[in-house]
Amino acid sequence: MNIQIFGTAKSFDTKKAQRWFKERGIRFQMVDLREKGLSRGEYDSVCRALGGWQALADPNAKDRDALALLQWLDENQQADKLFENQQLLRQPIVRNGRQATAGYCPEVWESWK
């Protein structure tokens, strides 16, 4: 497995995901979204794995204005706007090759073994 965890140090769910993988002895690479963020290719890959950008948007994000803007944009513009405003992404984003999850999903990760 080639696990990547995208999140921030302050995200409680990101910390839980890291602990989940550590407890099972599964190596992972942590990518801080505040420092690096998702590349366009990574973002597109995760969107495909999740069935669209809507699964990546966090309805409880702190930036309410940017979140509201997403609702009023054209469908094509919404995915681009979410990529530009990665603080709106649900955390953690966990990738294993072409598979991905958004949020804390240990039941899915268990099936990756």
Side-chain angles (χ1 to χ4, degrees):
M1 278 194 284
N2 186 20
I3 304 293
Q4 290 180 304
I5 300 176
F6 296 88
T8 58
K10 291 186 176 185
S11 167
F12 182 68
D13 284 341
T14 299
K15 290 177 187 177
K16 283 181 12 182
Q18 289 176 320
R19 185 171 49 247
W20 191 91
F21 285 104
K22 282 180 186 175
E23 287 174 352
R24 284 150 186 82
I26 301 171
R27 293 180 52 189
F28 61 88
Q29 175 189 10
M30 178 61 196
V31 179
D32 191 327
L33 287 174
R34 290 185 186 211
E35 291 178 16
K36 187 167 183 253
L38 290 167
S39 71
R40 188 62 196 211
E42 290 167 334
Y43 174 79
D44 291 339
S45 174
V46 170
C47 283
R48 278 192 300 277
L50 296 176
W53 65 268
Q54 296 87 345
L56 277 175
D58 184 0
N60 300 319
K62 291 182 182 178
D63 190 349
R64 295 284 184 204
D65 294 336
L67 200 56
L69 178 62
L70 279 179
Q71 298 175 7
W72 297 104
L73 292 173
D74 180 74
E75 179 76 25
N76 296 332
Q77 295 173 325
Q78 289 172 328
D80 291 336
K81 185 55 78 175
L82 184 60
F83 175 71
E84 293 169 10
N85 294 285
Q86 293 191 12
Q87 73 273 13
L88 300 177
L89 296 175
R90 183 174 300 175
Q91 294 181 38
I93 297 168
V94 181
R95 286 184 60 202
N96 180 24
R98 293 183 183 204
Q99 300 171 312
T101 60
Y104 183 72
C105 305
E107 63 283 350
V108 176
W109 305 331
E110 194 69 45
S111 69
W112 288 352
K113 290 185 178 182

Coordinates of all heavy atoms in Angstrom, one line a residue, residues 1-4 27-29 95-97:
M1 N 0.8 -1.2 0.0 CA 0.0 0.0 0.0 C 0.9 1.2 0.0 O 1.9 1.3 0.6 CB -0.9 0.0 1.2 CG -2.1 -0.8 1.1 SD -3.4 -0.5 2.4 CE -2.7 -1.3 3.8
N2 N 0.4 2.2 -0.7 CA 1.1 3.5 -0.8 C 0.1 4.6 -0.3 O -0.6 5.2 -1.1 CB 1.5 3.8 -2.2 CG 2.4 5.0 -2.3 OD1 2.9 5.5 -1.3 ND2 2.4 5.6 -3.5
I3 N 0.0 4.8 1.0 CA -1.0 5.6 1.6 C -0.4 7.1 1.7 O 0.7 7.3 2.2 CB -1.3 5.1 3.0 CG1 -1.8 3.7 3.0 CG2 -2.4 6.1 3.7 CD1 -3.1 3.5 2.3
Q4 N -1.3 8.0 1.3 CA -1.0 9.4 1.5 C -2.2 10.0 2.3 O -3.4 9.7 2.0 CB -0.9 10.2 0.2 CG 0.3 9.8 -0.6 CD 0.3 10.6 -1.9 OE1 -0.7 10.5 -2.7 NE2 1.3 11.4 -2.2
R27 N 2.6 2.1 6.9 CA 3.3 3.3 6.6 C 2.5 4.2 5.8 O 1.7 3.8 4.9 CB 4.6 3.0 5.9 CG 5.6 2.2 6.9 CD 6.8 1.9 6.2 NE 7.4 3.1 5.6 CZ 8.5 3.1 4.8 NH1 9.0 1.9 4.5 NH2 8.9 4.2 4.3
F28 N 2.6 5.5 6.0 CA 1.9 6.5 5.2 C 2.8 7.8 5.1 O 3.7 8.0 5.8 CB 0.6 6.9 5.9 CG 0.7 7.5 7.2 CD1 0.8 8.8 7.4 CD2 0.6 6.6 8.4 CE1 0.9 9.3 8.7 CE2 0.7 7.2 9.6 CZ 0.9 8.5 9.8
Q29 N 2.4 8.6 4.1 CA 3.0 9.9 3.9 C 2.0 11.0 4.3 O 0.9 11.0 3.8 CB 3.4 10.1 2.4 CG 4.0 11.4 2.1 CD 4.2 11.6 0.6 OE1 3.7 10.8 -0.2 NE2 4.8 12.7 0.3
R95 N -5.4 8.7 0.3 CA -5.3 8.1 -1.0 C -4.4 6.8 -0.9 O -3.5 6.7 -0.1 CB -4.5 9.0 -2.0 CG -5.3 10.1 -2.5 CD -4.5 10.9 -3.5 NE -4.2 10.1 -4.7 CZ -3.2 10.4 -5.5 NH1 -2.4 11.4 -5.3 NH2 -2.9 9.6 -6.5
N96 N -4.9 5.8 -1.7 CA -4.1 4.6 -1.8 C -4.2 4.2 -3.3 O -5.1 3.6 -3.8 CB -4.8 3.4 -1.0 CG -4.0 2.1 -1.2 OD1 -2.8 2.1 -1.5 ND2 -4.7 1.0 -0.9
G97 N -3.2 4.7 -4.0 CA -3.2 4.6 -5.5 C -4.4 5.3 -6.1 O -4.5 6.5 -5.9

